[in-house]
Amino acid sequence: MRKAFVVCATAAMCILAAACGGGQSAGPSVAKGDGAINISLHQDPPKLDPTVSAAFIERHVFQSIFDKLADLNEKGEIVPMLAERWDISPDGKKYTFHLRKNVKFHDGTDFNAEAVKFNFARNMGESSVRRNELKEVDRVVAIDNNTVEVYLKNPFAPFMSILTDRSGMMVSPAAAKKLGADFMNAPVGTGPFVYKERVRGATITLEKNKNYWLAGFPKAEKIVYKIIPDANVALVNLKSGQLDITNRFPFNEAGNYANDSKINLVNIPSPGFGGIYLNADKAPFSNVLVRQAIEALIDREAIVKVALSGVGTPGRSPFSPGNMAYSDLDKPRKPDLEKAKQLLAQAGLPGGFNFALAVEMDPAAQQVVQMVQSMLKPAGINASIEKADFGTVLDNLAKGQFDVSFLPWSGRIDPDQNIYDRFITNGPLNYAKYSNREMDRLLDAARKDTDAAKRRELYDRIVVLALKESPYIFLYHEHNLFGMGKTVAGFMPVADGMIRTVNLSKQ
């Protein structure tokens, strides 16, 4: 199934739809009690700055603090946000953005064309994790206070999709210049909620933006994110009323709450994937035969059935069902022990080997790697599981200090964003240090071609090569399963799996 992504013709209508969850009323509903919406996160967001962010969990918080030039609505359509509309030149190389007027950042700085220009430059800098997403941008010109032209080096199919996430988030230029690297500890955007404080490992508190540009929003007085790694503990807090929403509901409990009187479940297929990085810069994983042997041993059906309690889809590619690049190449194969043994023998490791398998503290993630550990053992490959907090896992990946590491990806709507940075030589998410000229050529060609059929052909070739080289082994496509008190109103399910808070309230 292919998704359709269109630009709404009427900006005001699309913004209202995005804020109100489609058909829901924008009426007088307000948050009750102290006006706080309590949301659990299964990880502690490491960096609250979209420019240097590399973690899924941070994006939940960003939805409240930072507005974007464009957003996704519940239909998967790209809709206006801080850009009221945009025009694209016939050659696909110039985008003209018409910006919303009278918008201010939380620190009082004006949002205008110069602010957009500043954010593009910041996100394209050497220290930015966003730099590859925007490397087709040639220059940005502020035409007047509310008009910006962005010139691309080449037609770039994923461009607008990219602007619906961190590359399109606008930070205050004044705050970013003043705070430098410390901006991640005091983030300033134009979003519906203002950063107040955080207690590392415990809470992040945001307060209502009383000057928000969309009249009548946000509805809640406060958003409190509570860090609760164990989904079962989060469920206990949801049942007791200490939480209003959990971002991770325990998969094995889903069947017990399908018709609960106090709790709603929201099950959204994710565009993302779960999988493991193999350090191709380090023996024995520098040998492609070793990586192929591990790939051949994985039983993806069993992982989804047992570790995810069936809430997901087994997969071998970065493209989930529903993505334009999805194909039969994603369907899993049965594990092949004899093939794996042959590959290990060819690699000079007929008796197998030992290695460390890193994983975060999330119990569900640990169950996944425990299953991987047991699947490798018959071939003599012995994994010792090393648990660490999420930030440490990310740091070790960035430094190349790992053998194999589990790290899922929340996924994006355009296929480019699920594969490019992960497999391109020197890509910011290419933790495996993988490099292949043919892969680089195919990845660049796929993002520049605006013909959907040709792009799908290119992504098929990319998946074939990715499976052959296996620097990252794709295991499954997880679903986003939210738990929610039935007193919560205004939740908008979006394919990117992020919780939009602007319209949330308690009845």
Side-chain angles (χ1 to χ4, degrees):
M1 181 180 73
R2 293 176 58 196
K3 280 182 184 289
F5 304 106
V6 300
V7 176
C8 285
T10 306
M13 180 180 71
C14 292
I15 292 164
L16 191 61
C20 301
Q24 295 185 46
S25 169
S29 174
V30 296
K32 293 189 175 180
D34 65 355
I37 303 290
N38 297 290
I39 303 172
S40 70
L41 301 178
H42 69 287
Q43 296 162 335
D44 194 15
K47 301 173 181 177
L48 296 182
D49 181 345
T51 301
V52 294
S53 166
F56 161 87
I57 204 67
E58 293 156 346
R59 297 168 60 217
H60 276 299
V61 182
F62 292 163
Q63 304 302 317
S64 296
I65 300 175
F66 303 106
D67 288 327
K68 297 158 274 188
L69 291 177
D71 199 7
L72 296 174
N73 68 11
E74 73 278 21
K75 297 178 182 177
E77 299 167 335
I78 298 174
V79 296
M81 199 172 200
L82 287 177
E84 289 184 311
R85 60 186 176 84
W86 50 89
D87 308 311
I88 306 173
S89 65
D91 66 359
K93 295 171 68 174
K94 185 180 82 170
Y95 286 67
T96 303
F97 293 96
H98 305 276
L99 307 179
R100 186 168 301 284
K101 298 175 183 175
N102 302 316
V103 177
K104 287 186 179 294
F105 290 98
H106 301 154
D107 61 357
T109 301
D110 289 334
F111 168 73
N112 53 30
E114 287 297 333
V116 174
K117 187 176 176 181
F118 170 86
N119 274 274
F120 267 96
R122 186 171 187 257
N123 286 332
M124 293 164 65
E126 278 303 309
S127 61
S128 169
V129 179
R130 312 272 79 79
R131 63 185 185 278
N132 262 7
E133 293 177 347
L134 298 175
K135 78 176 190 179
E136 288 298 333
V137 174
D138 182 57
R139 66 187 187 280
V140 180
V141 180
I143 301 301
D144 58 37
N145 213 35
N146 301 105
T147 310
V148 178
E149 291 179 346
V150 179
Y151 291 84
L152 305 182
K153 299 170 188 171
N154 300 285
F156 184 41
F159 185 55
M160 284 309 304
S161 174
I162 283 173
L163 296 185
T164 66
D165 197 62
R166 286 169 286 197
S167 287
M169 292 178 181
M170 296 291 109
V171 311
S172 163
K177 291 173 185 174
K178 178 181 177 182
L179 297 173
D182 199 39
F183 181 84
M184 71 175 72
N185 299 315
V188 180
T190 67
F193 292 92
V194 180
Y195 176 83
K196 177 65 175 176
E197 63 179 3
R198 77 179 296 176
V199 178
R200 284 282 179 184
T203 59
I204 298 171
T205 302
L206 313 180
E207 294 185 338
K208 181 176 187 172
N209 178 2
K210 296 180 180 177
N211 300 310
Y212 195 52
W213 53 267
L214 186 58
F217 295 91
K219 301 217 173 154
E221 293 296 320
K222 187 188 296 185
I223 300 293
V224 181
Y225 295 102
K226 298 184 176 181
I227 315 306
I228 304 179
D230 191 323
N232 290 291
V233 175
L235 174 56
V236 171
N237 281 268
L238 182 64
K239 290 165 65 176
S240 71
Q242 298 301 304
L243 287 173
D244 300 302
I245 301 174
T246 63
N247 84 312
R248 284 285 176 93
F249 197 87
F251 294 141
N252 60 350
E253 292 281 358
N256 298 327
Y257 288 85
N259 298 300
D260 192 82
S261 62
K262 295 183 178 179
I263 294 174
N264 279 328
L265 294 185
V266 180
N267 186 345
I268 309 172
S270 162
F273 49 82
I276 52 177
Y277 278 102
L278 279 60
N279 193 338
D281 201 33
K282 184 177 182 181
F285 306 103
S286 51
N287 189 329
V288 67
L289 297 172
V290 172
R291 303 198 298 265
Q292 290 173 350
I294 291 178
E295 204 279 336
L297 290 164
I298 301 298
D299 186 344
R300 294 165 171 84
E301 300 274 5
I303 289 174
V304 170
K305 183 178 180 180
V306 177
L308 305 187
S309 298
V311 187
T313 305
R316 299 176 77 213
S317 85
F319 310 128
S320 61
N323 189 291
M324 66 163 282
Y326 174 78
S327 74
D328 285 348
L329 292 167
D330 187 68
K331 293 181 178 177
R333 295 178 181 174
K334 293 184 180 297
D336 191 336
L337 177 58
E338 290 308 311
K339 178 182 176 182
K341 287 181 174 178
Q342 292 173 10
L343 290 165
L344 288 173
Q346 292 174 37
L349 295 167
F353 59 92
N354 301 328
F355 73 98
L357 175 53
V359 64
E360 58 180 295
M361 302 305 287
D362 176 25
Q366 291 177 25
Q367 191 168 9
V368 171
V369 299
Q370 286 166 2
M371 292 191 71
V372 170
Q373 180 188 45
S374 66
M375 290 170 186
L376 303 186
K377 204 163 189 176
I381 303 175
N382 299 303
S384 59
I385 295 176
E386 295 184 349
K387 303 173 187 176
D389 65 84
F390 183 60
T392 300
V393 171
L394 276 184
D395 283 345
N396 288 339
L397 279 162
K399 294 173 182 174
Q401 296 174 353
F402 71 101
D403 293 333
V404 176
S405 185
F406 175 82
L407 188 70
W409 176 248
S410 53
R412 301 294 185 275
I413 302 303
D414 192 277
D416 175 85
Q417 298 163 272
N418 287 344
I419 184 73
Y420 190 87
D421 282 352
R422 199 170 302 274
F423 278 69
I424 195 78
T425 298
N426 296 323
L429 300 179
N430 186 353
Y431 299 125
K433 304 299 181 189
Y434 169 70
S435 181
N436 180 299
R437 288 184 180 179
E438 177 62 6
M439 178 64 83
D440 291 350
R441 189 188 69 77
L442 290 170
L443 289 170
D444 280 326
R447 61 174 16 195
K448 292 174 183 174
D449 203 319
T450 55
D451 184 296
K454 290 181 180 177
R455 288 189 83 199
R456 285 195 292 275
E457 290 176 11
L458 287 166
Y459 282 118
D460 276 352
R461 294 172 65 184
I462 287 169
V463 172
V464 169
L465 187 54
L467 287 167
K468 180 182 176 183
E469 297 279 279
S470 293
Y472 183 95
I473 296 179
F474 302 93
L475 301 176
Y476 55 80
H477 306 291
E478 188 177 304
H479 288 196
N480 293 309
L481 189 63
F482 300 100
M484 197 173 312
K486 287 198 170 179
T487 57
V488 175
F491 181 85
M492 183 175 75
V494 182
D496 63 11
M498 297 297 110
I499 299 172
R500 267 71 168 175
T501 56
V502 66
N503 194 41
L504 290 179
S505 64
K506 280 195 284 191
Q507 304 298 308

